[in-house]
PDB file of all heavy atoms in Angstrom:
ATOM      1  N   TYR A  10    -204.011 110.357  55.707  1.00  0.00           N
ATOM      2  CA  TYR A  10    -205.091 110.488  54.737  1.00  0.00           C
ATOM      3  C   TYR A  10    -205.373 111.963  54.554  1.00  0.00           C
ATOM      4  O   TYR A  10    -205.389 112.719  55.527  1.00  0.00           O
ATOM      5  CB  TYR A  10    -206.348 109.772  55.227  1.00  0.00           C
ATOM      6  CG  TYR A  10    -207.548 109.964  54.323  1.00  0.00           C
ATOM      7  CD1 TYR A  10    -207.698 109.212  53.167  1.00  0.00           C
ATOM      8  CD2 TYR A  10    -208.526 110.919  54.631  1.00  0.00           C
ATOM      9  CE1 TYR A  10    -208.786 109.403  52.336  1.00  0.00           C
ATOM     10  CE2 TYR A  10    -209.612 111.116  53.807  1.00  0.00           C
ATOM     11  CZ  TYR A  10    -209.747 110.349  52.665  1.00  0.00           C
ATOM     12  OH  TYR A  10    -210.821 110.537  51.835  1.00  0.00           O
ATOM     13  N   SER A  11    -205.576 112.381  53.309  1.00  0.00           N
ATOM     14  CA  SER A  11    -205.962 113.759  53.008  1.00  0.00           C
ATOM     15  C   SER A  11    -207.138 113.744  52.060  1.00  0.00           C
ATOM     16  O   SER A  11    -207.199 112.921  51.138  1.00  0.00           O
ATOM     17  CB  SER A  11    -204.808 114.537  52.387  1.00  0.00           C
ATOM     18  OG  SER A  11    -203.780 114.756  53.329  1.00  0.00           O
ATOM     19  N   THR A  12    -208.036 114.658  52.273  1.00  0.00           N
ATOM     20  CA  THR A  12    -209.189 114.754  51.388  1.00  0.00           C
ATOM     21  C   THR A  12    -208.797 115.420  50.070  1.00  0.00           C
ATOM     22  O   THR A  12    -207.783 116.122  49.994  1.00  0.00           O
ATOM     23  CB  THR A  12    -210.319 115.534  52.067  1.00  0.00           C
ATOM     24  OG1 THR A  12    -209.813 116.828  52.442  1.00  0.00           O
ATOM     25  CG2 THR A  12    -210.807 114.827  53.317  1.00  0.00           C
ATOM     26  N   ASP A  13    -209.603 115.199  49.058  1.00  0.00           N
ATOM     27  CA  ASP A  13    -209.273 115.697  47.723  1.00  0.00           C
ATOM     28  C   ASP A  13    -209.116 117.209  47.684  1.00  0.00           C
ATOM     29  O   ASP A  13    -208.335 117.738  46.890  1.00  0.00           O
ATOM     30  CB  ASP A  13    -210.351 115.263  46.724  1.00  0.00           C
ATOM     31  CG  ASP A  13    -210.294 113.775  46.422  1.00  0.00           C
ATOM     32  OD1 ASP A  13    -209.262 113.144  46.735  1.00  0.00           O
ATOM     33  OD2 ASP A  13    -211.292 113.250  45.891  1.00  0.00           O
ATOM     34  N   SER A  14    -209.847 117.906  48.550  1.00  0.00           N
ATOM     35  CA  SER A  14    -209.821 119.373  48.505  1.00  0.00           C
ATOM     36  C   SER A  14    -208.449 119.950  48.879  1.00  0.00           C
ATOM     37  O   SER A  14    -208.130 121.085  48.509  1.00  0.00           O
ATOM     38  CB  SER A  14    -210.893 119.948  49.436  1.00  0.00           C
ATOM     39  OG  SER A  14    -210.662 119.546  50.778  1.00  0.00           O
ATOM     40  N   VAL A  15    -207.632 119.171  49.600  1.00  0.00           N
ATOM     41  CA  VAL A  15    -206.334 119.695  50.038  1.00  0.00           C
ATOM     42  C   VAL A  15    -205.164 118.818  49.619  1.00  0.00           C
ATOM     43  O   VAL A  15    -204.005 119.178  49.849  1.00  0.00           O
ATOM     44  CB  VAL A  15    -206.296 119.908  51.561  1.00  0.00           C
ATOM     45  CG1 VAL A  15    -207.387 120.883  51.983  1.00  0.00           C
ATOM     46  CG2 VAL A  15    -206.411 118.594  52.308  1.00  0.00           C
ATOM     47  N   LYS A  16    -205.450 117.693  49.008  1.00  0.00           N
ATOM     48  CA  LYS A  16    -204.375 116.773  48.619  1.00  0.00           C
ATOM     49  C   LYS A  16    -203.405 117.470  47.678  1.00  0.00           C
ATOM     50  O   LYS A  16    -203.820 118.130  46.723  1.00  0.00           O
ATOM     51  CB  LYS A  16    -204.987 115.540  47.948  1.00  0.00           C
ATOM     52  CG  LYS A  16    -204.060 114.338  47.879  1.00  0.00           C
ATOM     53  CD  LYS A  16    -204.809 113.114  47.349  1.00  0.00           C
ATOM     54  CE  LYS A  16    -205.877 112.656  48.300  1.00  0.00           C
ATOM     55  NZ  LYS A  16    -206.557 111.418  47.837  1.00  0.00           N
ATOM     56  N   GLY A  17    -202.119 117.351  47.971  1.00  0.00           N
ATOM     57  CA  GLY A  17    -201.101 117.997  47.159  1.00  0.00           C
ATOM     58  C   GLY A  17    -200.767 119.410  47.607  1.00  0.00           C
ATOM     59  O   GLY A  17    -199.758 119.975  47.182  1.00  0.00           O
ATOM     60  N   ARG A  18    -201.599 120.002  48.459  1.00  0.00           N
ATOM     61  CA  ARG A  18    -201.336 121.357  48.966  1.00  0.00           C
ATOM     62  C   ARG A  18    -201.054 121.355  50.465  1.00  0.00           C
ATOM     63  O   ARG A  18    -200.224 122.126  50.940  1.00  0.00           O
ATOM     64  CB  ARG A  18    -202.521 122.284  48.690  1.00  0.00           C
ATOM     65  CG  ARG A  18    -202.827 122.485  47.223  1.00  0.00           C
ATOM     66  CD  ARG A  18    -203.835 123.624  47.022  1.00  0.00           C
ATOM     67  NE  ARG A  18    -205.106 123.352  47.695  1.00  0.00           N
ATOM     68  CZ  ARG A  18    -205.692 124.187  48.557  1.00  0.00           C
ATOM     69  NH1 ARG A  18    -205.113 125.335  48.882  1.00  0.00           N
ATOM     70  NH2 ARG A  18    -206.863 123.869  49.104  1.00  0.00           N
ATOM     71  N   PHE A  19    -201.755 120.520  51.223  1.00  0.00           N
ATOM     72  CA  PHE A  19    -201.605 120.464  52.678  1.00  0.00           C
ATOM     73  C   PHE A  19    -200.907 119.157  53.064  1.00  0.00           C
ATOM     74  O   PHE A  19    -201.193 118.096  52.482  1.00  0.00           O
ATOM     75  CB  PHE A  19    -202.966 120.505  53.365  1.00  0.00           C
ATOM     76  CG  PHE A  19    -203.718 121.802  53.242  1.00  0.00           C
ATOM     77  CD1 PHE A  19    -203.276 122.833  52.419  1.00  0.00           C
ATOM     78  CD2 PHE A  19    -204.897 121.985  53.941  1.00  0.00           C
ATOM     79  CE1 PHE A  19    -203.979 124.014  52.309  1.00  0.00           C
ATOM     80  CE2 PHE A  19    -205.617 123.163  53.851  1.00  0.00           C
ATOM     81  CZ  PHE A  19    -205.158 124.178  53.026  1.00  0.00           C
ATOM     82  N   THR A  20    -200.022 119.258  54.057  1.00  0.00           N
ATOM     83  CA  THR A  20    -199.301 118.079  54.533  1.00  0.00           C
ATOM     84  C   THR A  20    -199.379 118.012  56.047  1.00  0.00           C
ATOM     85  O   THR A  20    -199.046 118.987  56.734  1.00  0.00           O
ATOM     86  CB  THR A  20    -197.829 118.135  54.112  1.00  0.00           C
ATOM     87  OG1 THR A  20    -197.737 118.254  52.693  1.00  0.00           O
ATOM     88  CG2 THR A  20    -197.090 116.876  54.553  1.00  0.00           C
ATOM     89  N   ILE A  21    -199.774 116.859  56.567  1.00  0.00           N
ATOM     90  CA  ILE A  21    -199.850 116.663  58.010  1.00  0.00           C
ATOM     91  C   ILE A  21    -198.598 115.924  58.481  1.00  0.00           C
ATOM     92  O   ILE A  21    -198.085 115.055  57.780  1.00  0.00           O
ATOM     93  CB  ILE A  21    -201.130 115.894  58.405  1.00  0.00           C
ATOM     94  CG1 ILE A  21    -201.336 115.920  59.921  1.00  0.00           C
ATOM     95  CG2 ILE A  21    -201.126 114.474  57.861  1.00  0.00           C
ATOM     96  CD1 ILE A  21    -202.710 115.409  60.351  1.00  0.00           C
ATOM     97  N   SER A  22    -198.107 116.299  59.650  1.00  0.00           N
ATOM     98  CA  SER A  22    -196.921 115.648  60.209  1.00  0.00           C
ATOM     99  C   SER A  22    -196.954 115.812  61.721  1.00  0.00           C
ATOM    100  O   SER A  22    -197.862 116.435  62.273  1.00  0.00           O
ATOM    101  CB  SER A  22    -195.639 116.262  59.634  1.00  0.00           C
ATOM    102  OG  SER A  22    -195.526 117.623  60.023  1.00  0.00           O
ATOM    103  N   GLY A  23    -195.965 115.243  62.378  1.00  0.00           N
ATOM    104  CA  GLY A  23    -195.908 115.366  63.825  1.00  0.00           C
ATOM    105  C   GLY A  23    -194.505 115.226  64.348  1.00  0.00           C
ATOM    106  O   GLY A  23    -193.626 114.697  63.662  1.00  0.00           O
ATOM    107  N   ASP A  24    -194.281 115.733  65.541  1.00  0.00           N
ATOM    108  CA  ASP A  24    -193.002 115.631  66.240  1.00  0.00           C
ATOM    109  C   ASP A  24    -193.295 115.041  67.613  1.00  0.00           C
ATOM    110  O   ASP A  24    -193.803 115.741  68.498  1.00  0.00           O
ATOM    111  CB  ASP A  24    -192.362 117.022  66.349  1.00  0.00           C
ATOM    112  CG  ASP A  24    -190.979 116.989  66.951  1.00  0.00           C
ATOM    113  OD1 ASP A  24    -190.685 116.064  67.738  1.00  0.00           O
ATOM    114  OD2 ASP A  24    -190.189 117.899  66.662  1.00  0.00           O
ATOM    115  N   ASN A  25    -192.980 113.760  67.783  1.00  0.00           N
ATOM    116  CA  ASN A  25    -193.291 113.099  69.051  1.00  0.00           C
ATOM    117  C   ASN A  25    -192.529 113.726  70.220  1.00  0.00           C
ATOM    118  O   ASN A  25    -193.060 113.801  71.334  1.00  0.00           O
ATOM    119  CB  ASN A  25    -192.963 111.610  68.954  1.00  0.00           C
ATOM    120  CG  ASN A  25    -194.043 110.838  68.211  1.00  0.00           C
ATOM    121  OD1 ASN A  25    -195.224 111.105  68.357  1.00  0.00           O
ATOM    122  ND2 ASN A  25    -193.620 109.894  67.394  1.00  0.00           N
ATOM    123  N   ALA A  26    -191.319 114.189  69.962  1.00  0.00           N
ATOM    124  CA  ALA A  26    -190.528 114.795  71.035  1.00  0.00           C
ATOM    125  C   ALA A  26    -191.186 116.071  71.569  1.00  0.00           C
ATOM    126  O   ALA A  26    -191.107 116.378  72.762  1.00  0.00           O
ATOM    127  CB  ALA A  26    -189.115 115.094  70.546  1.00  0.00           C
ATOM    128  N   LYS A  27    -191.837 116.808  70.683  1.00  0.00           N
ATOM    129  CA  LYS A  27    -192.522 118.043  71.087  1.00  0.00           C
ATOM    130  C   LYS A  27    -194.009 117.796  71.364  1.00  0.00           C
ATOM    131  O   LYS A  27    -194.719 118.719  71.747  1.00  0.00           O
ATOM    132  CB  LYS A  27    -192.374 119.110  70.002  1.00  0.00           C
ATOM    133  CG  LYS A  27    -190.938 119.568  69.791  1.00  0.00           C
ATOM    134  CD  LYS A  27    -190.855 120.659  68.736  1.00  0.00           C
ATOM    135  CE  LYS A  27    -189.421 121.138  68.564  1.00  0.00           C
ATOM    136  NZ  LYS A  27    -189.303 122.199  67.531  1.00  0.00           N
ATOM    137  N   ASN A  28    -194.445 116.547  71.134  1.00  0.00           N
ATOM    138  CA  ASN A  28    -195.868 116.199  71.323  1.00  0.00           C
ATOM    139  C   ASN A  28    -196.777 117.154  70.552  1.00  0.00           C
ATOM    140  O   ASN A  28    -197.815 117.611  71.050  1.00  0.00           O
ATOM    141  CB  ASN A  28    -196.248 116.190  72.802  1.00  0.00           C
ATOM    142  CG  ASN A  28    -197.191 115.048  73.146  1.00  0.00           C
ATOM    143  OD1 ASN A  28    -197.161 113.981  72.515  1.00  0.00           O
ATOM    144  ND2 ASN A  28    -198.036 115.258  74.133  1.00  0.00           N
ATOM    145  N   THR A  29    -196.354 117.455  69.334  1.00  0.00           N
ATOM    146  CA  THR A  29    -197.039 118.460  68.511  1.00  0.00           C
ATOM    147  C   THR A  29    -197.245 117.928  67.100  1.00  0.00           C
ATOM    148  O   THR A  29    -196.335 117.325  66.517  1.00  0.00           O
ATOM    149  CB  THR A  29    -196.222 119.767  68.467  1.00  0.00           C
ATOM    150  OG1 THR A  29    -196.098 120.288  69.784  1.00  0.00           O
ATOM    151  CG2 THR A  29    -196.903 120.804  67.576  1.00  0.00           C
ATOM    152  N   ALA A  30    -198.439 118.144  66.575  1.00  0.00           N
ATOM    153  CA  ALA A  30    -198.740 117.832  65.184  1.00  0.00           C
ATOM    154  C   ALA A  30    -198.811 119.132  64.400  1.00  0.00           C
ATOM    155  O   ALA A  30    -199.062 120.209  64.968  1.00  0.00           O
ATOM    156  CB  ALA A  30    -200.066 117.089  65.093  1.00  0.00           C
ATOM    157  N   TYR A  31    -198.566 119.014  63.103  1.00  0.00           N
ATOM    158  CA  TYR A  31    -198.524 120.206  62.252  1.00  0.00           C
ATOM    159  C   TYR A  31    -199.373 120.006  61.008  1.00  0.00           C
ATOM    160  O   TYR A  31    -199.595 118.874  60.563  1.00  0.00           O
ATOM    161  CB  TYR A  31    -197.082 120.491  61.808  1.00  0.00           C
ATOM    162  CG  TYR A  31    -196.115 120.668  62.944  1.00  0.00           C
ATOM    163  CD1 TYR A  31    -195.301 119.612  63.353  1.00  0.00           C
ATOM    164  CD2 TYR A  31    -196.017 121.884  63.616  1.00  0.00           C
ATOM    165  CE1 TYR A  31    -194.407 119.770  64.408  1.00  0.00           C
ATOM    166  CE2 TYR A  31    -195.124 122.043  64.676  1.00  0.00           C
ATOM    167  CZ  TYR A  31    -194.331 120.983  65.067  1.00  0.00           C
ATOM    168  OH  TYR A  31    -193.459 121.142  66.106  1.00  0.00           O
ATOM    169  N   LEU A  32    -199.828 121.120  60.444  1.00  0.00           N
ATOM    170  CA  LEU A  32    -200.453 121.111  59.127  1.00  0.00           C
ATOM    171  C   LEU A  32    -199.764 122.189  58.302  1.00  0.00           C
ATOM    172  O   LEU A  32    -199.941 123.382  58.570  1.00  0.00           O
ATOM    173  CB  LEU A  32    -201.958 121.382  59.212  1.00  0.00           C
ATOM    174  CG  LEU A  32    -202.680 121.287  57.874  1.00  0.00           C
ATOM    175  CD1 LEU A  32    -202.703 119.824  57.386  1.00  0.00           C
ATOM    176  CD2 LEU A  32    -204.112 121.820  57.972  1.00  0.00           C
ATOM    177  N   GLN A  33    -198.947 121.758  57.362  1.00  0.00           N
ATOM    178  CA  GLN A  33    -198.296 122.693  56.447  1.00  0.00           C
ATOM    179  C   GLN A  33    -199.243 122.950  55.295  1.00  0.00           C
ATOM    180  O   GLN A  33    -199.652 122.020  54.601  1.00  0.00           O
ATOM    181  CB  GLN A  33    -196.982 122.106  55.925  1.00  0.00           C
ATOM    182  CG  GLN A  33    -196.271 122.992  54.911  1.00  0.00           C
ATOM    183  CD  GLN A  33    -195.776 124.292  55.516  1.00  0.00           C
ATOM    184  OE1 GLN A  33    -195.225 124.296  56.616  1.00  0.00           O
ATOM    185  NE2 GLN A  33    -195.959 125.386  54.802  1.00  0.00           N
ATOM    186  N   MET A  34    -199.590 124.209  55.097  1.00  0.00           N
ATOM    187  CA  MET A  34    -200.559 124.587  54.066  1.00  0.00           C
ATOM    188  C   MET A  34    -199.864 125.464  53.031  1.00  0.00           C
ATOM    189  O   MET A  34    -199.360 126.545  53.370  1.00  0.00           O
ATOM    190  CB  MET A  34    -201.737 125.336  54.698  1.00  0.00           C
ATOM    191  CG  MET A  34    -202.404 124.578  55.830  1.00  0.00           C
ATOM    192  SD  MET A  34    -203.917 125.369  56.416  1.00  0.00           S
ATOM    193  CE  MET A  34    -203.265 126.901  57.060  1.00  0.00           C
ATOM    194  N   ASN A  35    -199.830 124.995  51.804  1.00  0.00           N
ATOM    195  CA  ASN A  35    -199.209 125.740  50.703  1.00  0.00           C
ATOM    196  C   ASN A  35    -200.253 126.079  49.648  1.00  0.00           C
ATOM    197  O   ASN A  35    -201.347 125.508  49.632  1.00  0.00           O
ATOM    198  CB  ASN A  35    -198.096 124.908  50.071  1.00  0.00           C
ATOM    199  CG  ASN A  35    -196.986 124.567  51.054  1.00  0.00           C
ATOM    200  OD1 ASN A  35    -196.674 125.348  51.953  1.00  0.00           O
ATOM    201  ND2 ASN A  35    -196.382 123.395  50.889  1.00  0.00           N
ATOM    202  N   SER A  36    -199.892 127.004  48.782  1.00  0.00           N
ATOM    203  CA  SER A  36    -200.779 127.402  47.677  1.00  0.00           C
ATOM    204  C   SER A  36    -202.180 127.719  48.176  1.00  0.00           C
ATOM    205  O   SER A  36    -203.181 127.240  47.613  1.00  0.00           O
ATOM    206  CB  SER A  36    -200.828 126.280  46.609  1.00  0.00           C
ATOM    207  OG  SER A  36    -199.543 125.986  46.134  1.00  0.00           O
ATOM    208  N   LEU A  37    -202.247 128.529  49.211  1.00  0.00           N
ATOM    209  CA  LEU A  37    -203.542 128.829  49.829  1.00  0.00           C
ATOM    210  C   LEU A  37    -204.432 129.635  48.894  1.00  0.00           C
ATOM    211  O   LEU A  37    -203.957 130.476  48.118  1.00  0.00           O
ATOM    212  CB  LEU A  37    -203.329 129.559  51.144  1.00  0.00           C
ATOM    213  CG  LEU A  37    -202.877 128.643  52.290  1.00  0.00           C
ATOM    214  CD1 LEU A  37    -202.256 129.442  53.426  1.00  0.00           C
ATOM    215  CD2 LEU A  37    -204.043 127.823  52.805  1.00  0.00           C
ATOM    216  N   LYS A  38    -205.721 129.358  48.997  1.00  0.00           N
ATOM    217  CA  LYS A  38    -206.733 130.003  48.166  1.00  0.00           C
ATOM    218  C   LYS A  38    -207.732 130.732  49.057  1.00  0.00           C
ATOM    219  O   LYS A  38    -207.902 130.357  50.223  1.00  0.00           O
ATOM    220  CB  LYS A  38    -207.472 128.948  47.340  1.00  0.00           C
ATOM    221  CG  LYS A  38    -206.585 128.034  46.534  1.00  0.00           C
ATOM    222  CD  LYS A  38    -207.402 126.917  45.893  1.00  0.00           C
ATOM    223  CE  LYS A  38    -206.525 125.943  45.134  1.00  0.00           C
ATOM    224  NZ  LYS A  38    -207.328 124.853  44.519  1.00  0.00           N
ATOM    225  N   PRO A  39    -208.421 131.725  48.526  1.00  0.00           N
ATOM    226  CA  PRO A  39    -209.433 132.414  49.341  1.00  0.00           C
ATOM    227  C   PRO A  39    -210.471 131.445  49.928  1.00  0.00           C
ATOM    228  O   PRO A  39    -210.951 131.665  51.055  1.00  0.00           O
ATOM    229  CB  PRO A  39    -210.075 133.381  48.346  1.00  0.00           C
ATOM    230  CG  PRO A  39    -208.975 133.683  47.386  1.00  0.00           C
ATOM    231  CD  PRO A  39    -208.229 132.385  47.228  1.00  0.00           C
ATOM    232  N   GLU A  40    -210.795 130.381  49.206  1.00  0.00           N
ATOM    233  CA  GLU A  40    -211.781 129.426  49.713  1.00  0.00           C
ATOM    234  C   GLU A  40    -211.247 128.574  50.852  1.00  0.00           C
ATOM    235  O   GLU A  40    -211.990 127.788  51.446  1.00  0.00           O
ATOM    236  CB  GLU A  40    -212.304 128.525  48.580  1.00  0.00           C
ATOM    237  CG  GLU A  40    -211.231 127.858  47.755  1.00  0.00           C
ATOM    238  CD  GLU A  40    -210.905 128.622  46.474  1.00  0.00           C
ATOM    239  OE1 GLU A  40    -210.828 129.870  46.526  1.00  0.00           O
ATOM    240  OE2 GLU A  40    -210.718 127.952  45.434  1.00  0.00           O
ATOM    241  N   ASP A  41    -209.966 128.703  51.183  1.00  0.00           N
ATOM    242  CA  ASP A  41    -209.412 128.028  52.356  1.00  0.00           C
ATOM    243  C   ASP A  41    -209.678 128.822  53.639  1.00  0.00           C
ATOM    244  O   ASP A  41    -209.367 128.351  54.735  1.00  0.00           O
ATOM    245  CB  ASP A  41    -207.900 127.827  52.203  1.00  0.00           C
ATOM    246  CG  ASP A  41    -207.538 126.852  51.103  1.00  0.00           C
ATOM    247  OD1 ASP A  41    -208.218 125.815  50.974  1.00  0.00           O
ATOM    248  OD2 ASP A  41    -206.578 127.143  50.352  1.00  0.00           O
ATOM    249  N   THR A  42    -210.251 129.997  53.514  1.00  0.00           N
ATOM    250  CA  THR A  42    -210.560 130.808  54.696  1.00  0.00           C
ATOM    251  C   THR A  42    -211.565 130.100  55.580  1.00  0.00           C
ATOM    252  O   THR A  42    -212.638 129.693  55.131  1.00  0.00           O
ATOM    253  CB  THR A  42    -211.122 132.177  54.259  1.00  0.00           C
ATOM    254  OG1 THR A  42    -210.099 132.896  53.554  1.00  0.00           O
ATOM    255  CG2 THR A  42    -211.577 132.988  55.468  1.00  0.00           C
ATOM    256  N   ALA A  43    -211.197 129.924  56.851  1.00  0.00           N
ATOM    257  CA  ALA A  43    -212.038 129.178  57.790  1.00  0.00           C
ATOM    258  C   ALA A  43    -211.371 129.191  59.161  1.00  0.00           C
ATOM    259  O   ALA A  43    -210.230 129.641  59.302  1.00  0.00           O
ATOM    260  CB  ALA A  43    -212.225 127.741  57.332  1.00  0.00           C
ATOM    261  N   ILE A  44    -212.079 128.681  60.144  1.00  0.00           N
ATOM    262  CA  ILE A  44    -211.460 128.351  61.430  1.00  0.00           C
ATOM    263  C   ILE A  44    -210.968 126.913  61.331  1.00  0.00           C
ATOM    264  O   ILE A  44    -211.728 126.018  60.938  1.00  0.00           O
ATOM    265  CB  ILE A  44    -212.435 128.510  62.604  1.00  0.00           C
ATOM    266  CG1 ILE A  44    -212.930 129.959  62.675  1.00  0.00           C
ATOM    267  CG2 ILE A  44    -211.753 128.130  63.920  1.00  0.00           C
ATOM    268  CD1 ILE A  44    -213.989 130.192  63.736  1.00  0.00           C
TER     269      ILE A  44
END
């Protein structure tokens, strides 16, 4: 599930072998600045 503010720009995924999840963020905007 992705919220409207990031849908189409951010993609969540995971690698079970590495026990790691990822957030790929594309087309970043100044308003994406945050922790």
